[in-house]
Amino acid sequence: MLEVKNLKKRFSSGIFFKSYLDAVDDVSFSIAKGETLGLVGESGSGKSTVGQCVIRLIEPTGGTIMFNGIDLRSLNGRALNRVRPSMQMIFQDPDSSLDPRMTIGQSIAEPFRLKKVARNEVKGEVLRLIEKVGLSPEHYNRYPHQMSGGQNQRAVLARVLAINPLFIVADEPTASLDVSVQAQILHLLMDLKREYGMTMLFISHDLAVIRHMCDRVAVMYRGKIVEQGPVSAVFESPAHPYTRLLLSRTEEAEQSVKQENGSGDAKGCRFRGRCSLARAVCETTEPAFREIGAGHTVACHMTVLPKAEITHE
Ligand SMILES: Nc1ncnc2c1ncn2[C@@H]1O[C@H](COP(=O)(O)OP(=O)(O)OP(=O)(O)O)[C@@H](O)[C@H]1O
Ligand SMILES: [Mg+2]
């Protein structure tokens, strides 16, 4: 369904002198139909930028994005607008997806109207979806500000179902909700995924959530994917020192690296400064991906060491 190769996004900044940041640098992955790929990594590692590039909400600097056989980067204007509805984004904050001037019913009805569904059928369809996402008919005439965050995120999901996209990017879809509601929304997403066979890129810094929601996971560090594989393989035998750090000491790993992110220095491994295994080769040569299990790849010079030796250091 989706094949991303060598994706790159460079942000330029600086008023008096030019500086740049490679927020996404040479990222490649693919997602099969019906599959959910998790994207995990600390704040500032480039997860949202990947998600937004993939559906061309922002313009990538380089790379190719094949979506359902179409080269997305070659499209513009009308051709792009035609593909747009088949890719939807669910944001952390439901308010950014709902029009505050529209009632919940109107928001969910809009995609049906655009698809020219007969007027007298629309209301029935909307009520069916309202029920499907666990809202009730009384929410139909409410405005977003009259709903809770969790209820609004349900409405966003109902709207997404009305659009019926081929592919969804969910960027921390529960991060703004409180813990009990988070679990409900995640369960709802899982149900919908099963029922509709949705294909999804699921962004989260919460490893437990990724493990629950995803088939495969890609771990990002400072703009690069450092390890990728089936959820079971990555969680049970993490191979990259950064993945291990994420899995063991969540707090330290979650420290933002925004300040050290500006990199003109493309040589070597980006993780070497924080890595207890770093050797001379890590200073000079960027590690290439190696396959260490079925569909399980890692970019690290040091994982050739037996596991026991690594964990003792
Ligand atoms: N429009 C922009 N202009 C300049 N820099 C940007 C822009 N958007 C993002 N960045 C920078 O790109 C880097 C990656 O940002 P991104 O939002 O993709 O990270 P993230 O992994 O989603 O983080 P978080 O977990 O905090 O959401 C950050 O250093 C960020 O400051
Ligand atoms: Mg983000």
Side-chain angles (χ1 to χ4, degrees), residues 11-13 21 23-24 41-50 92 171-172 203 205 258 261:
F11 289 116
S12 301
S13 54
L21 167 75
V24 176
E42 60 205 352
S43 184
S45 56
K47 305 181 297 295
S48 298
T49 306
V50 168
Q92 170 173 341
D171 190 354
E172 309 259 10
I203 299 172
H205 57 261
K258 276 183 184 147
N261 222 342

